[in-house]
Amino acid sequence: VMHEDIKEVLYTEEQIQQRIREIGAALTEEYAPLAARGEKIVLLSVLRGAAIFMCDLAREIKLPLEMDFMAVSSYGNGVKSSGVVSIIKDVSTDLNGKHVIIAEDILDSGLTLSYLLKNLSSRNPASLSVVTFLRKKVEPQADIECKHVGFTCKNEFIVGYGLDYAERYRNLPYVGILKPEVYSA
Ligand code: IMP
Ligand code: MG
């Protein structure tokens, strides 16, 4: 059973859903005036980790919006992201003149997101902002401005709620720290 591999639960399903309701309510308030003017909102996530967060968040934003996805691969030595990113799947929508909200799973080094922000801003969105489910306390971290952060967490390898270890544990409804023996096995 997946649950037996978890050493410590950091955020329960209830805490996560509560926090997402708060962020969704805040975004609804922030973007309501421009939605009322007929301006378009695009909620964008990077596959695969952020998909679960994005889908829950989308249902807490009570405004018309489009949902779109990108997939990227990060080159480097495998463990750490290098900041050299290639786009495997691009958005399907034209972002020109739209208000883009990136829903991210976790901000670690921030290198992937730095690249994406640069890339996306070249498509002339009306605005571009980041909402991240988790932000790790690490040094160094790219200086990325987040409109909302779900939780700030310590620098440990965590899984669940979209986050994986070797493609497992994404479907846990909570976030936790894996038992060390799972890595060494
Ligand atoms: P960054 O470019 O270092 O910020 O990489 C961020 C990406 O690395 C996230 O979108 C996750 O896919 C992955 N990642 C970073 N930390 C963790 C973790 O603790 N567990 C699972 N995935 C992680
Ligand atoms: Mg990711």
Side-chain angles (χ1 to χ4, degrees):
V1 199
M2 281 194 298
H3 302 245
E4 289 166 357
D5 297 343
I6 303 299
K7 184 176 83 175
E8 184 193 335
V9 174
L10 291 180
Y11 310 108
T12 64
E13 182 172 5
E14 291 70 26
Q15 286 173 315
I16 293 170
Q17 295 305 328
Q18 171 59 32
R19 188 72 190 104
I20 290 172
R21 277 194 293 275
E22 290 168 9
I23 296 172
L27 288 170
T28 303
E29 209 176 296
E30 287 157 15
Y31 285 83
L34 37 108
R37 291 196 298 267
E39 293 176 39
K40 297 242 165 27
I41 302 165
V42 180
L43 188 60
L44 173 61
S45 84
V46 182
L47 297 171
R48 287 167 269 180
I52 289 186
F53 171 56
M54 180 206 190
C55 293
D56 280 348
L57 182 62
R59 285 172 286 186
E60 296 298 334
I61 302 173
K62 313 293 182 187
L63 300 169
L65 54 78
E66 293 176 53
M67 289 170 63
D68 210 337
F69 298 91
M70 285 179 86
V72 299
S73 86
S74 175
Y75 294 124
N77 58 18
V79 192
K80 286 233 153 183
S81 83
S82 62
V84 182
V85 174
S86 80
I87 296 175
I88 294 171
K89 185 228 170 286
D90 207 339
V91 292
S92 314
T93 5
D94 182 6
L95 302 180
N96 187 25
K98 297 178 184 168
H99 296 274
V100 178
I101 306 170
I102 303 176
E104 182 55 310
D105 52 357
I106 186 165
L107 196 55
D108 189 8
S109 71
L111 291 173
T112 312
L113 208 48
S114 299
Y115 169 85
L116 271 177
L117 285 169
K118 234 179 275 162
N119 182 293
L120 291 170
S121 58
S122 72
R123 302 158 192 230
N124 301 311
S127 68
L128 183 58
S129 54
V130 175
V131 174
T132 187
F133 173 57
L134 297 169
R135 184 168 198 155
K136 261 191 198 175
K137 267 196 195 130
V138 289
E139 290 283 348
Q141 184 177 72
D143 184 24
I144 289 172
E145 196 192 314
C146 296
K147 204 181 245 307
H148 298 282
V149 176
F151 302 96
T152 303
C153 63
K154 44 193 174 176
N155 187 14
E156 283 191 81
F157 195 80
I158 54 185
V159 295
Y161 200 71
L163 297 163
D164 73 305
Y165 169 64
E167 292 308 324
R168 289 188 62 200
Y169 309 104
R170 290 195 198 275
N171 57 333
L172 285 176
Y174 55 84
V175 166
I177 302 170
L178 267 190
K179 287 180 181 166
E181 56 262 38
V182 179
Y183 299 97
S184 36

